[in-house]
Amino acid sequence: MQAKKRYILVFVSCAFLAYAYFGGYRLKVSPLRPRRAQHESAKDGGVQPHEQLPSFLGSHDQQELKLLQSNQSKSLESSKQLVPRKPDCRMETCFDFTRCYDRFLVYIYPPEPLNSLGAAPPTSANYQKILTAIQESRYYTSDPTAACLFVLGIDTLDRDSLSEDYVRNVPSRLARLPYWNNGRNHIIFNLYSGTWPDYAENSLGFDAGEAILAKASMGVLQLRHGFDVSIPLFHKQFPLRAGATGSVQSNNFPANKKYLLAFKGKRYVHGIGSETRNSLFHLHNGRDMVLVTTCRHGKSWRELQDNRCDEDNREYDRYDYETLLQNSTFCLVPRGRRLGSFRFLEALQAGCIPVLLSNAWVLPFESKIDWKQAAIWADERLLLQVPDIVRSIPAERIFALRQQTQVLWERYFGSIEKIVFTTFEIIRERLPDYPVRSSLVWNSSPGALLTLPTFADSSRYMPFLLNSMGAEPRHNYTAVIYVQIGAALGPNAALYKLVRTITKSQFVERILVLWAADRPLPLKKRWPPTSHIPLHVISLGGSTRSQGAAPTSQTTEGRPSISQRFLPYDEIQTDAVLSLDEDAILNTDELDFAYTVWRDFPERIVGYPARAHFWDDSKNAWGYTSKWTNYYSIVLTGAAFYHRYYNYLYTNWLSLLLLKTVQQSSNCEDILMNLLVSHVTRKPPIKVTQRKGYKDRETGRSPWNDPDHFIQRQSCLNTFAAVFGYMPLIRSNLRMDPMLYRDPVSNLRKKYRQIELVGS
C-alpha cells in the first residue's frame, strides 16, 4: 500500500512538472487580451511590448517626452536629407596611391579671399594650430602637384550649427577647390558633429565624399575601418607643440592613492548621453569612490533641474578637479553628449587609469595603439559593476597600466602636433611600399613617430630597442673626425696625432675624416700610416681634393653646413659612432673605455666634455655654462660616442627650423644632437672620467676662442627649446670611471693605465 502511494505521488509530480514546462507560459497571457495579441506574445516569450506596459509618468512628463521624441525625429529626418551616406571607402577604392610614391607630402589650401564685406572666413584657434603644425613640418609642401594628401583651408573642426566656430556654406566652398575631386586624397579634421538634440555623428553639414575623416567621438558603425582615423577630443587651450609632460614624475607608483575611482563633471538631466552620468551618484561613497556631478550649466538649468540637482551641486563643490586627478588610481571617463570626452586625455596626462563608459566608441588611433595596456572598459548598461571591476585589478597591473598612460601621453597625445603627425603616420603605413612598424614599436617608448622604419629592415637595430629584444650593438666603432680649421698636417699637428691614436684602438673599424676647412685636402702621403684601418676623407666644402688623398670623395656646392658632420654617410657601417673634433687630445685607453661604457648604454651619448643648462630667472630664459658644477646635461660631440641611428634621425626627422638655426649660426649642432637624443630617450647623457679639457690649445683659430661663442650658444638653446615646445635636456650627477680609478694601488693592476696619467 505504501509503495502504491509513492508511485501515485511520483506520477502526479511528473505530470505537474511537464505541464509547467510545456504549457505554463500560457498562464502569463491575460485571458482578456485578443487572440492575435496572445499569439504575438507567445512568439516573444510571453513578454508584453513596452508600449502596452503601464506608464508611471505624470502628464507633464509625458508631454515633455513626446516633445523630445518629436524634435529628435524631425532632426533625424533633416540630417538624413542634408547629409548623404558616406561611401564605403577603402584605401584601394578611394585613394590615389600614385601621388605618394616619391614622398609623403601634405598640401594646405590657401585661405579664401575676403568677401564683399572685407571679412575672411572664421578659423578657430585649434584649427590654426593644426595648419601651423603642418606648415612647419617636413610633411608640408607648397606644390599641390607633389602632394600626397590635401588639407582644407576651411575650418571643419566644429560642425555644431549652434557653435560660434561653425563655418557656413561649406558645400559651395568645397566645390570651388581646384583639387577636391570628390574628396579623394583629402583629409578632414573634425572634433564636433551634429547638434541638439540628437548630436548625429554623421551630421557634418556637407558631403565628405571620398575624403579620409580624422574625427573625434567616432562610433564603430560610422568608422570606415582601414580608411578613417579616430582622434581624441581636445579643448581650446590644447598646446601646439610638446605641451606638459606626464604628471607621474617618478616610478614610485602604484603608491596608495587617496581615491580608488573618481569623476567630476557635468550631467544632463535629459537627452542623449544623460543616462550614464545621471546614475553615477549610486557609486559615490565619499571615501574611496568620489563621483560627483552638477546640472548647473547652460542658460536654463534652473528650468530643467530635477530633484537631485541641489544635493549634487553641494557635493560637487566640495572637491577640486585637479586634486581628484592627481590623487586617484582610476578615473571614470563616461560619455557625454557625444561618445568622446575631454576626460580621456586629462586622465592619461595625470597617470590616472581611464575607466571607459562609452559603448561603441572607437578609441583614438585604435588601429595602432593597444589600449588594453592603458585603459579599462566597462559597460554603460552594467554601471553598478564598475566598483567590483576596479577593486579586482592587482597592483602589478595597475603599475603597468599607469606606466603606459605616460608613454602614450608623451609620445602621441601631448600636443596638437603629435596628434596630427600620428594621424599622418597611420595613413602613411597604409601605402603599399612603406614599411609597417610593429605593435611593439607603436606601444613602447619612444614610439612610432621617433622610429623611422626606413632606417633599417628590422627594428632590432634601433638603439632604444636593443635591450627589450635581448640584442647587443654590433661590435667596433667608426671614428668620424670633423675638420673645420684645417691646420697644416704634420707629425706635430693635433689631427695627425689624433688619427694615430685612433688606429691603436682595439675596437676601431674605420676612420672617416669630414673636411669642411677652406684649405685644400692634404696629400695622401702627409696622413699618418693607418695600416689595416681604412681611412676615408670626404670634402664638404668647395675645395678640390688633392690627388690620392683618400679613396672616397664627396663635395657639396656652396658653404658647408656644420650639420653635415651628422649626415648618415654610407661609410658608417657600425652601430657606434665616435664623433671627434680635429683638435681632440684623447688617448687610446680613453677611447676604449668610453666605447665599453657605451655598449652598456647604446641609446645615450657617452663621452668626455660636459656642459650644463640652467634656468635664468633674471633673464627669464635658459642659460648655458661650461663651468664645473655638481651636475651636467650635455656631453659635447667633440669627443663622444653615440648610435648611428641618431645621424639618420637628425637628418631626416628634425624640424627644418632647427637645422636652419644651426646653419645660420655655424654653431650649436652638438647642443641640438643632445636635445634630440634626450627627447628620444628621456634620459641624460653619460660622462666618463674626470677629464675637463679635451682640446689642443696650440691649434690655430678656434670658435671656442670667440667671446660671442657662449652668447650664441645660449641663444641657440632657447630657440631649440621653443621649437621643441619644452626643454628636453635632463640633468645628471653620474660619472663613469674605470675600476680602481685613482685608487692607491699598483698601476699594473689597472686595465686602463693611460687614463691615470691624464690630468683633470
Side-chain angles (χ1 to χ4, degrees), residues 619 622-625 665 667-668 671 703 706-719:
K619 298 179 180 178
W622 293 105
Y624 172 88
T625 180
S665 64
N667 196 346
C668 310
I671 297 178
D706 187 349
D708 295 330
H709 179 75
F710 279 92
I711 298 176
Q712 193 177 50
R713 291 172 75 81
Q714 190 162 291
S715 176
C716 288
L717 188 63
N718 284 277
T719 301

Side-chain angles (χ1 to χ4, degrees), residues 426-499:
I426 289 175
I427 297 172
R428 193 178 195 175
E429 284 198 1
R430 296 171 181 170
L431 302 180
D433 297 329
Y434 194 77
V436 177
R437 303 170 182 88
S438 66
S439 178
L440 173 65
V441 170
W442 276 96
N443 293 280
S444 60
S445 191
L449 298 186
L450 290 166
T451 307
L452 305 186
T454 51
F455 168 70
D457 295 335
S458 173
S459 56
R460 69 175 296 274
Y461 297 115
M462 302 295 177
F464 35 78
L465 294 177
L466 287 171
N467 293 332
S468 61
M469 292 187 170
E472 292 183 351
R474 288 172 287 189
H475 287 283
N476 299 337
Y477 64 84
T478 300
V480 179
I481 306 173
Y482 186 73
V483 179
Q484 200 171 12
I485 302 171
L489 193 61
N492 294 324
L495 178 59
Y496 189 96
K497 295 177 181 178
L498 180 61
V499 172

Side-chain angles (χ1 to χ4, degrees), residues 47-56:
V47 180
Q48 297 183 32
H50 66 86
E51 295 88 351
Q52 299 179 11
L53 292 172
S55 174
F56 295 95

Side-chain angles (χ1 to χ4, degrees), residues 43-111:
K43 289 195 298 182
D44 296 333
V47 180
Q48 297 183 32
H50 66 86
E51 295 88 351
Q52 299 179 11
L53 292 172
S55 174
F56 295 95
L57 296 175
S59 58
H60 174 73
D61 294 330
Q62 289 180 358
Q63 292 176 1
E64 186 176 291
L65 180 61
K66 289 179 180 179
L67 178 62
L68 178 61
Q69 291 174 341
S70 175
N71 291 336
Q72 288 178 339
S73 62
K74 290 179 182 178
S75 175
L76 186 59
E77 289 299 323
S78 63
S79 65
K80 288 180 179 179
Q81 295 174 4
L82 290 174
V83 183
R85 184 180 181 274
K86 290 186 297 184
D88 187 17
C89 277
R90 304 189 309 274
M91 294 295 289
E92 295 81 3
T93 59
C94 297
F95 196 87
D96 184 3
F97 292 121
T98 61
R99 300 191 65 98
C100 310
Y101 285 153
D102 293 334
R103 295 179 63 190
F104 188 85
L105 298 176
V106 181
Y107 174 77
I108 300 177
Y109 285 98

Side-chain angles (χ1 to χ4, degrees), residues 395-691:
E396 294 81 3
R397 189 169 181 224
I398 291 175
F399 178 83
L401 289 167
R402 293 196 67 199
Q403 278 187 320
Q404 191 65 4
T405 61
Q406 301 302 280
V407 171
L408 297 179
W409 166 261
E410 292 188 358
R411 299 308 182 181
Y412 304 117
F413 298 104
S415 66
I416 290 178
E417 183 183 69
K418 291 176 183 176
I419 292 172
V420 172
F421 291 177
T422 303
T423 302
F424 287 164
E425 287 303 311
I426 289 175
I427 297 172
R428 193 178 195 175
E429 284 198 1
R430 296 171 181 170
L431 302 180
D433 297 329
Y434 194 77
V436 177
R437 303 170 182 88
S438 66
S439 178
L440 173 65
V441 170
W442 276 96
N443 293 280
S444 60
S445 191
L449 298 186
L450 290 166
T451 307
L452 305 186
T454 51
F455 168 70
D457 295 335
S458 173
S459 56
R460 69 175 296 274
Y461 297 115
M462 302 295 177
F464 35 78
L465 294 177
L466 287 171
N467 293 332
S468 61
M469 292 187 170
E472 292 183 351
R474 288 172 287 189
H475 287 283
N476 299 337
Y477 64 84
T478 300
V480 179
I481 306 173
Y482 186 73
V483 179
Q484 200 171 12
I485 302 171
L489 193 61
N492 294 324
L495 178 59
Y496 189 96
K497 295 177 181 178
L498 180 61
V499 172
R500 192 168 57 185
T501 299
I502 296 171
T503 58
K504 297 176 183 178
S505 171
Q506 59 179 314
F507 301 114
V508 65
E509 183 170 299
R510 182 174 299 179
I511 301 174
L512 182 62
V513 178
L514 305 178
W515 193 272
D518 294 331
R519 297 182 180 181
L521 294 175
L523 295 172
K524 182 178 181 180
K525 64 182 181 180
R526 301 193 66 86
W527 293 91
T530 57
S531 61
H532 62 286
I533 307 298
L535 174 65
H536 301 267
V537 181
I538 298 177
S539 174
L540 302 181
S543 61
T544 58
R545 179 168 52 90
S546 300
Q547 185 177 3
T552 306
S553 177
Q554 178 179 319
T555 303
T556 304
E557 294 183 0
R559 176 190 176 193
S561 170
I562 199 170
S563 288
Q564 288 181 288
R565 71 181 302 169
F566 296 136
L567 287 175
Y569 294 99
D570 293 336
E571 288 80 5
I572 303 175
Q573 296 297 318
T574 58
D575 286 344
V577 177
L578 170 59
S579 177
L580 294 164
D581 288 340
E582 62 190 297
D583 50 358
I585 53 174
L586 303 178
N587 61 49
T588 304
D589 273 3
E590 288 178 297
L591 299 180
D592 289 351
F593 174 67
Y595 172 72
T596 304
V597 172
W598 177 86
R599 285 190 59 82
D600 291 328
F601 303 93
E603 75 280 12
R604 305 203 209 183
I605 296 177
V606 176
Y608 286 90
R611 301 291 185 265
H613 78 291
F614 62 94
W615 179 254
D616 190 340
D617 286 324
S618 62
K619 298 179 180 178
N620 196 32
W622 293 105
Y624 172 88
T625 180
S626 61
K627 296 179 180 178
W628 275 71
T629 60
N630 291 327
Y631 70 92
Y632 64 92
S633 55
I634 297 171
V635 168
L636 302 183
T637 54
F641 283 92
Y642 61 86
H643 197 284
R644 71 187 181 101
Y645 175 69
Y646 294 122
N647 279 351
Y648 192 83
L649 207 59
Y650 185 101
T651 304
N652 296 286
W653 182 86
L654 277 178
S655 168
L656 296 177
L657 293 174
L658 296 171
L659 298 181
K660 186 177 181 180
T661 300
V662 171
Q663 183 173 8
Q664 290 176 342
S665 64
S666 293
N667 196 346
C668 310
E669 85 291 348
D670 47 358
I671 297 178
L672 182 55
M673 177 60 86
N674 273 266
L675 265 76
L676 172 63
V677 176
S678 292
H679 174 70
V680 171
T681 63
R682 295 293 196 268
K683 298 174 183 177
I686 296 176
K687 173 170 173 51
V688 288
T689 75
Q690 70 177 28
R691 176 192 278 275

